[in-house]
Amino acid sequence: MKKFKFRFSYFLILGFIGIIFQMIGFFSWENINVSQAQLISSSSTEQFELYMKHNYFVIVSAAFLIAFAVGIILCSKKEQLLFKIGGYSLGISQLFIAIITIVYLVYVDKNRLDMFKTAEEYTVYKTIGTLVNLKYTGLMISSIGLLSSSLGLVIYKGDEKIAKAGGIVGLISNGLFLIGLLLTSISGIFTYSYDIVNGFISFSQKIADPYELLFSQTNGFTLGQLNRVVMLLEEIDSYSSVVSFSLNKLTASAVIALITLICNVVTIVGNMFFLALAIIQSFDVSKDDKPMEI
């Protein structure tokens, strides 16, 4: 009977599954017609449950990516600093994202009826905003972890062409996403870009000055939010006869937000190729003597 050998390949497969769940999560919420009234309706929770479904995929994805990160930490050599940085950054950030998402699910479920109330005595929407900000920070650290791991493949595995190709794909895609996240975050100080990525955009949203998105949501990186940003740009375009500083500012904000959301999709696909190529390389017969080596 052939003795079973545990390989680093299996950690890579777990990471690949984690990215697949990210993709499923992206498509899990696409309804641009849902209103705030439907989400807090006391007679039916169907729309609310659909709205929250994305978060469950985030948690499952985080679990697989944490396992992948543990594999990177265990299997990398002491001198392979980029892998160590990548493993710890990815593992800690994904654990953080999972915890924040669980807290969000419990808190919003408990305070669903008050999540869109802005009177002075209600602070639910502010707490949700804080949780969303924390998750966004986790996403940035996670992208740094995957970026560092990709760069590690390029530098340390340059003689393994398939692995190096995967590393280059991961380097480009995760680099783009990190730039998009940073651009949105920094520009959000002066524009509405950060709020548009992470805010609840409704058909009744007024685009007149001042433009405000008070309600944050964890569904920012979904097909539904991407469609809503496109919808916002189309609505702005309908005001083409009106030229004003505030409208131009809103247009620039929506464009920045849209670029970041598209970068997210590119990164998910890029990471699938990055890990798929790394998996192929890891099953090379030359790895059989040292199956737990990256």
Side-chain angles (χ1 to χ4, degrees):
M1 185 176 178
K2 189 177 180 180
K3 187 178 179 181
F4 175 78
K5 287 185 178 180
F6 204 82
R7 310 175 67 101
F8 175 65
S9 312
Y10 306 139
F11 289 107
L12 285 168
I13 292 171
L14 292 175
F16 185 79
I17 294 172
I19 300 300
I20 288 176
F21 273 102
Q22 283 188 352
M23 179 66 81
I24 296 171
F26 172 76
F27 286 106
S28 66
W29 189 68
E30 54 183 309
N31 183 7
I32 65 172
N33 298 312
V34 66
S35 66
Q36 295 176 6
Q38 288 174 314
L39 294 179
I40 62 174
S41 171
S42 57
S43 60
S44 173
T45 61
E46 180 183 358
Q47 288 298 333
F48 176 74
E49 289 167 358
L50 290 172
Y51 179 75
M52 300 298 286
K53 185 169 66 172
H54 161 73
N55 296 282
Y56 295 103
F57 292 109
V58 169
I59 295 168
V60 175
S61 171
F64 281 105
L65 289 174
I66 290 168
F68 171 49
V70 170
I72 295 175
I73 295 167
L74 292 177
C75 300
S76 57
K77 297 176 183 178
K78 189 179 293 185
E79 63 270 19
Q80 293 176 322
L81 186 60
L82 287 171
F83 283 144
K84 294 294 185 186
I85 293 173
Y88 281 110
S89 299
L90 180 63
I92 293 171
S93 61
Q94 286 296 324
L95 177 61
F96 182 68
I97 288 171
I99 292 171
I100 290 296
T101 305
I102 291 170
V103 171
Y104 171 84
L105 282 168
V106 174
Y107 183 76
V108 173
D109 184 66
K110 184 179 178 182
N111 297 279
R112 181 172 67 90
L113 300 180
D114 298 330
M115 62 191 291
F116 296 125
K117 294 179 179 178
T118 57
E120 190 174 343
E121 65 268 27
Y122 296 104
T123 58
V124 174
Y125 76 99
K126 292 182 179 179
T127 303
I128 293 174
T130 299
L131 292 173
V132 171
N133 291 342
L134 291 172
K135 182 185 174 183
Y136 191 92
T137 303
L139 281 175
M140 285 197 286
I141 298 172
S142 179
S143 65
I144 291 172
L146 287 167
L147 182 68
S148 181
S149 299
S150 302
L151 183 59
L153 281 183
V154 175
I155 293 177
Y156 303 132
K157 301 295 177 180
D159 56 335
E160 299 176 2
K161 293 182 179 179
I162 298 176
K164 184 179 180 180
I168 292 172
V169 172
L171 191 62
I172 294 171
S173 56
N174 288 295
L176 283 174
F177 188 44
L178 180 59
I179 291 171
L181 290 173
L182 289 171
L183 177 63
T184 299
S185 181
I186 294 170
S187 65
I189 300 172
F190 312 102
T191 69
Y192 313 109
S193 57
Y194 184 85
D195 294 331
I196 290 173
V197 167
N198 297 291
F200 187 92
I201 305 170
S202 68
F203 280 111
S204 60
Q205 195 77 36
K206 294 180 180 179
I207 68 170
D209 189 32
Y211 184 80
E212 287 186 311
L213 280 172
L214 295 175
F215 307 110
S216 300
Q217 56 158 356
T218 58
N219 285 20
F221 295 92
T222 60
L223 179 59
Q225 189 70 1
L226 194 152
N227 287 335
R228 282 170 174 255
V229 175
V230 172
M231 176 195 75
L232 177 61
L233 282 167
E234 290 173 347
E235 187 179 354
I236 294 171
D237 189 56
S238 68
Y239 285 76
S240 56
S241 60
V242 181
V243 179
S244 68
F245 174 77
S246 61
L247 202 60
N248 290 335
K249 179 180 176 181
L250 182 56
T251 302
S253 304
V255 169
I256 292 171
L258 183 62
I259 290 172
T260 301
L261 295 181
I262 291 174
C263 283
N264 173 55
V265 180
V266 171
T267 301
I268 292 173
V269 176
N271 281 331
M272 290 176 70
F273 278 103
F274 152 46
L275 290 174
L277 291 172
I279 290 168
I280 292 170
Q281 184 74 68
S282 70
F283 277 107
D284 189 279
V285 291
S286 62
K287 299 283 188 179
D288 288 349
D289 293 333
K290 297 179 180 178
M292 286 294 283
E293 184 179 282
I294 295 180

